[in-house]
Amino acid sequence: MRYKLYYWPTIQGRGEFVRLALEQAGATYTDVARRSERSGMGVAAMMRLIEDQRNPSPSFAPPFLQAGDMVIGQTANILLFLGPRLNLVPEDEASRLWAHQLQLTIADLVTEVHDTHHPVSSELYYKDQKPEARRRANDFTAVRIPKFFDYFESVLARNPHNEPYLLGDKLSYVDLSMFQIIAGLRFAFPKTMKRLASGYPHLMALHQLVASQPRIARYLASTRRVPFNQQGIFRHYPELDK
Amino acid sequence: MRYKLYYWPTIQGRGEFVRLALEQAGATYTDVARRSERSGMGVAAMMRLIEDQRNPSPSFAPPFLQAGDMVIGQTANILLFLGPRLNLVPEDEASRLWAHQLQLTIADLVTEVHDTHHPVSSELYYKDQKPEARRRANDFTAVRIPKFFDYFESVLARNPHNEPYLLGDKLSYVDLSMFQIIAGLRFAFPKTMKRLASGYPHLMALHQLVASQPRIARYLASTRRVPFNQQGIFRHYPELDK
């Protein structure tokens, strides 16, 4: 199966959680919006599919994935679909639901990261919501990151297989997403993350373990990995990182 | 199967999306935290399960559902699990993923509703984040509700079965959740909803259709339905509804 991923071409954003799964599995995929419009792809192709009135399952927003006849939206839903096909989640239903539950909790955290720089409106620039962003980011770094990290650290510590993964006895797509969260938070909130690191040894070890997977390491060093920047979900504004 | 639902007893909140599915299906369930602590239930039983270090799949937050040996968290994940068992979603994988995609988009909207009154921090009272709430609610009522409603209205309008449901040819759990969204927004933002109603005939008809299902109608009239109030996700602050 050749997959087609549709996501904004200039940011990691939510699409990155899907890219990491495809890369780790060595899947064949086209990152459509990053290809040229001359070739019939690019952002124009993505917008055509979003706006196509004949598409019976339109997405509210990117990312979405085309797999044969199916078009699947919502990041966690795409991973729910891909997980078994890419051999990145255990076989049994209970494990798959547990993996998905963790992925949805990661998705909640991603939304909170976004809202540190856009607490009022996605339609406004950061500079037009700076006082609100400062208050929200203070709460996020002081209260919310520790709350989420306490949770994920305890999930790692109690993995019944006694393995360094969030679930089961091999790497899953949830581990890849957790890697991305830690990488992103280190970019956006380096001071906070430096302060917190020693309290979360399992999480930091998981980040390292994922980064050292051969396919992931090659991907991260390639031009397929969009660099972190100031347009994505993870942005580094020093004034928000106390 | 007797299900056990764990959720805060004094609000509809996210638990309500699960309650509506269980009620429409006529399922046998215990709303654990609403029962007495004397009987071994109540909030204490919920907190015990959250904090139980032997639970291999702990939830970050309520709601969660106990079904036999399984404990499943995250609202949309619970509905993903219950949908087929309660006969509230079509059989085929494509339809189930599409239903789940819609449910996740509803979940995104629910988070945005919550953040209109808590744009800075869940740890602070509303009165301690009023200026931020006013800006966020202005954006929510002027931009975000119409954006989500445009999307869901177009999904209803293009249902290939030409039926009044969001997907397929019979009522699904997604329709029940959409009902709850409209009911909640009418409580929280009555002026905005009055202004918008005429632009969304399919959505308003769906709300009416769900409300008139015999089991839902009985549920809504019963004491099992927690009334809307000022502690839940949907809150009515007149100053946020212009």
Side-chain angles (χ1 to χ4, degrees):
Chain A
M1 172 71 73
R2 169 176 282 279
Y3 298 104
K4 286 186 187 170
L5 174 65
Y6 294 80
Y7 193 66
W8 303 112
T10 57
I11 61 171
Q12 291 181 13
R14 288 180 168 86
E16 196 65 13
F17 299 96
V18 182
R19 289 192 190 107
L20 285 166
L22 292 165
E23 292 284 344
Q24 170 66 8
T28 308
Y29 74 103
T30 306
D31 204 338
V32 176
R34 295 186 70 194
R35 299 296 187 87
S36 76
E37 306 213 346
R38 248 189 342 223
S39 66
M41 293 195 268
V43 170
M46 180 170 87
M47 298 316 291
R48 275 198 302 275
L49 199 48
I50 286 191
E51 289 160 10
D52 181 357
Q53 289 295 318
R54 293 158 311 175
N55 176 1
S57 56
S59 285
F60 183 71
F64 46 93
L65 183 84
Q66 202 164 18
D69 284 348
M70 294 173 73
V71 182
I72 301 155
Q74 283 279 357
T75 310
N77 196 40
I78 297 170
L79 292 167
L80 178 73
F81 169 81
L82 282 177
R85 287 163 175 84
L86 301 181
N87 199 20
L88 285 174
V89 70
E91 292 274 343
D92 61 295
E93 186 190 25
S95 294
R96 289 191 182 169
L97 287 165
W98 172 228
H100 190 56
Q101 176 178 338
L102 290 169
Q103 191 66 39
L104 290 175
T105 307
I106 288 174
D108 288 343
L109 174 51
V110 170
T111 297
E112 295 198 21
V113 173
H114 171 270
D115 284 6
T116 58
H117 48 79
H118 279 77
V120 172
S121 167
S122 300
E123 312 282 318
L124 297 173
Y125 291 112
Y126 166 63
K127 70 175 175 53
D128 298 321
Q129 46 196 318
K130 272 177 124 171
E132 294 89 350
R134 203 175 286 235
R135 284 195 77 192
R136 175 119 189 184
N138 279 348
D139 179 76
F140 181 71
T141 52
V143 178
R144 299 300 287 175
I145 297 182
K147 187 167 166 143
F148 278 100
F149 275 20
D150 285 353
Y151 173 73
F152 289 116
E153 182 77 7
S154 92
V155 169
L156 282 164
R158 69 172 77 177
N159 180 331
H161 296 274
N162 202 20
E163 294 279 1
Y165 314 114
L166 282 160
L167 78 154
D169 59 2
K170 60 193 267 307
L171 194 85
S172 76
Y173 68 79
V174 190
D175 297 314
L176 300 172
S177 292
M178 199 69 233
F179 157 82
Q180 176 65 7
I181 290 285
I182 293 169
L185 289 174
R186 280 188 176 167
F187 171 77
F189 302 100
K191 282 194 197 166
T192 299
M193 289 297 282
K194 199 166 178 185
R195 178 164 54 76
L196 291 176
S198 67
Y200 302 99
H202 291 90
L203 276 173
M204 299 306 138
L206 178 61
H207 171 269
Q208 192 51 46
L209 180 67
V210 171
S212 66
Q213 299 293 305
R215 283 177 172 154
I216 294 295
R218 279 200 300 276
Y219 167 64
L220 296 177
S222 77
T223 56
R224 297 195 302 286
R225 171 83 162 178
V226 182
F228 284 114
N229 59 38
Q230 298 293 79
Q231 286 80 51
I233 290 170
F234 296 102
R235 304 185 188 185
H236 178 53
Y237 296 116
E239 65 272 23
L240 301 184
D241 179 33
K242 295 299 178 181
Chain B
M1 171 72 73
R2 169 176 281 279
Y3 297 105
K4 287 186 186 170
L5 173 65
Y6 295 79
Y7 194 66
W8 303 113
T10 57
I11 60 172
Q12 291 181 13
R14 287 180 170 84
E16 195 65 13
F17 299 96
V18 182
R19 289 192 189 108
L20 285 167
L22 292 165
E23 292 284 345
Q24 170 65 9
T28 308
Y29 73 102
T30 306
D31 204 339
V32 175
R34 296 187 70 193
R35 299 295 187 87
S36 76
E37 306 213 347
R38 248 187 344 222
S39 66
M41 293 196 266
V43 169
M46 180 170 87
M47 298 316 290
R48 274 199 302 276
L49 198 49
I50 286 192
E51 289 159 11
D52 182 357
Q53 288 294 317
R54 294 159 309 176
N55 175 1
S57 56
S59 284
F60 184 72
F64 47 92
L65 183 85
Q66 201 164 17
D69 284 347
M70 295 173 73
V71 182
I72 302 156
Q74 282 280 358
T75 311
N77 196 39
I78 297 170
L79 291 168
L80 178 74
F81 169 81
L82 283 178
R85 286 162 175 85
L86 302 182
N87 199 20
L88 285 174
V89 71
E91 292 274 344
D92 61 295
E93 186 191 24
S95 294
R96 288 189 183 170
L97 287 165
W98 171 228
H100 191 55
Q101 176 178 337
L102 290 169
Q103 190 66 38
L104 290 174
T105 306
I106 288 173
D108 289 342
L109 173 51
V110 169
T111 297
E112 295 198 21
V113 173
H114 170 271
D115 284 7
T116 58
H117 47 80
H118 279 76
V120 172
S121 168
S122 300
E123 310 283 317
L124 297 174
Y125 291 113
Y126 165 62
K127 70 175 175 53
D128 298 321
Q129 46 196 317
K130 273 178 124 170
E132 294 89 351
R134 204 175 287 235
R135 284 195 77 192
R136 176 120 190 183
N138 279 348
D139 180 76
F140 181 71
T141 52
V143 179
R144 299 301 287 175
I145 297 183
K147 187 168 166 140
F148 277 99
F149 275 19
D150 286 352
Y151 173 72
F152 288 116
E153 182 77 6
S154 91
V155 170
L156 283 164
R158 70 172 78 177
N159 181 331
H161 296 274
N162 203 20
E163 294 279 359
Y165 313 115
L166 282 160
L167 77 153
D169 60 2
K170 60 193 264 310
L171 195 85
S172 76
Y173 68 78
V174 190
D175 297 314
L176 300 171
S177 292
M178 199 69 233
F179 158 82
Q180 175 66 7
I181 290 285
I182 292 169
L185 289 175
R186 281 189 176 167
F187 170 77
F189 302 100
K191 280 194 200 166
T192 299
M193 288 297 282
K194 199 165 178 184
R195 179 164 54 74
L196 291 176
S198 67
Y200 302 98
H202 291 91
L203 277 172
M204 299 306 138
L206 179 62
H207 171 269
Q208 192 50 46
L209 180 67
V210 171
S212 66
Q213 300 292 306
R215 282 175 172 156
I216 295 296
R218 278 200 300 276
Y219 168 64
L220 296 177
S222 76
T223 56
R224 297 194 303 287
R225 171 85 161 177
V226 182
F228 283 113
N229 59 37
Q230 297 293 78
Q231 286 81 50
I233 290 170
F234 295 102
R235 304 185 188 185
H236 178 53
Y237 296 116
E239 65 273 23
L240 300 185
D241 180 33
K242 295 298 178 180

